[in-house]
Amino acid sequence: MRAVAAFLLVLCYLAVTHAWRCSEGPRLSNARQVDAGSGEVVAINSDGYVYFLVGSSWCKMSTNTFNHASIGPAGLWATSISGNRVYKYIAGNFVISSGLSMRQVDAGGDGQVVGVTSSSSAYCLRSDYASSYKGSGSLSWSNLSRVLKYISCGKYGCWGTDTSNRIFFTQTLSPTTCGNSRWSQISGSAAMVEVGTDGSVFVVNKSGQLFQRLGISSRSRSGTSWRAVSMCMPVRHVAYDLGNLWVVTTSGLLMKCTH
């Protein structure tokens, strides 16, 4: 396995653009999903176990199995494989919540948590609910009036993709009320979208191609165009934080890329 990974990385060095330099990240066999925020990184392997990056080593966090995990200003949240139940990491343990079930959640906004249900309805959990939740009581989610299969928020708004792989953007989402502006369709097609805390946006399309949104600023919150980020292998999932682009390929290889 190590020899195969080394060979694939040689191909990556030859294939990626000059804009990004990629190397194998801390070794995690059969990675499936990764998320980064607030200087921390979590990943899930093909068995559904969540790992937390400590230095250059991964620490297994629980014997529970999960579909998706997200870490950021709202803390660490995850959705379970069984029943899509929502969990928050509290005092060293994943604590199950009552309320709506979510297929995917994102904790990268300004203290709020957003997520999508198995029926592709998008919801938001207010920042006061997210921060104060300690495992008791039912979480009160607000409907965002948008059909989405994946959602992610950052400095300049929230992005999502729907079941037809169309891309949508709302430039404001209040963390205290979950009130949001009108959703606008953005050109392009994506299976998933990830927004960094600084507002950087990356998407992966259904063919495993990776793109970065250009021109994002306080004056142009949705940016101006897409630029392909060449990768040697099809990409399954990405995350971005503090200048580091974390990439999971469809073969389960985890890479760390920097400018």
Side-chain angles (χ1 to χ4, degrees):
M1 178 65 186
R2 186 178 296 271
V4 172
F7 174 72
L8 292 174
L9 284 171
V10 169
L11 294 180
C12 286
Y13 290 134
L14 296 176
V16 297
T17 65
H18 68 279
W20 294 95
R21 293 181 58 86
C22 298
S23 59
E24 184 180 10
R27 188 177 296 275
L28 180 65
S29 298
N30 299 315
R32 179 165 55 83
Q33 185 245 325
V34 64
D35 195 64
S38 301
E40 299 174 317
V41 184
V42 293
I44 295 180
N45 69 0
S46 58
D47 293 321
Y49 296 122
V50 177
Y51 292 82
F52 182 83
L53 185 61
V54 180
S56 58
S57 300
W58 293 101
C59 176
K60 186 177 178 180
M61 302 188 72
S62 174
T63 57
N64 294 334
T65 55
F66 296 95
N67 277 322
H68 190 274
S70 181
I71 193 166
L76 172 56
W77 295 73
T79 61
S80 66
I81 289 178
S82 177
N84 292 327
R85 301 297 300 274
V86 178
Y87 286 72
K88 182 182 180 183
Y89 194 71
I90 304 170
N93 293 289
F94 279 102
V95 177
I96 193 171
S97 70
S98 58
L100 289 176
S101 297
M102 296 286 162
R103 182 172 56 194
Q104 177 255 330
V105 290
D106 182 84
D110 191 16
Q112 81 276 10
V113 178
V114 292
V116 293
T117 65
S118 58
S119 59
S120 299
S121 295
Y123 285 86
C124 171
L125 183 67
R126 285 169 25 185
S127 56
D128 56 341
Y129 291 154
S131 62
S132 64
Y133 185 71
K134 297 296 185 293
S136 61
S138 179
L139 292 177
S140 180
W141 295 86
S142 301
N143 195 308
L144 294 179
S145 302
R146 185 75 243 173
V147 173
L148 297 173
K149 67 177 180 180
Y150 201 102
I151 187 171
S152 184
C153 297
K155 183 177 181 179
Y156 297 125
C158 297
W159 294 69
T161 62
D162 71 2
T163 54
S164 298
N165 292 324
R166 295 178 299 179
I167 303 169
F168 290 90
F169 169 76
T170 181
Q171 69 175 5
T172 57
L173 191 152
S174 169
T176 58
T177 68
C178 283
N180 64 288
S181 61
R182 181 176 60 88
W183 289 89
S184 302
Q185 186 175 351
I186 305 297
S187 64
S189 175
M192 66 146 297
V193 56
E194 274 295 319
V195 186
T197 304
D198 66 353
S200 298
V201 175
F202 295 84
V203 299
V204 177
N205 66 17
K206 65 179 181 180
S207 299
Q209 297 170 307
L210 176 61
F211 295 84
Q212 181 180 5
R213 189 68 174 173
L214 302 181
I216 293 176
S217 68
S218 59
R219 294 185 177 182
S220 179
R221 291 172 174 255
S222 62
T224 56
S225 60
W226 296 105
R227 178 174 63 192
V229 180
S230 296
M231 288 285 154
C232 56
M233 292 170 284
V235 172
R236 176 171 184 160
H237 203 273
V238 295
Y240 178 84
D241 185 49
L242 300 179
N244 296 314
L245 179 63
W246 298 87
V247 178
V248 174
T249 70
T250 54
S251 63
L253 181 66
L254 177 66
M255 296 189 294
K256 179 182 179 180
C257 305
T258 57
H259 277 298

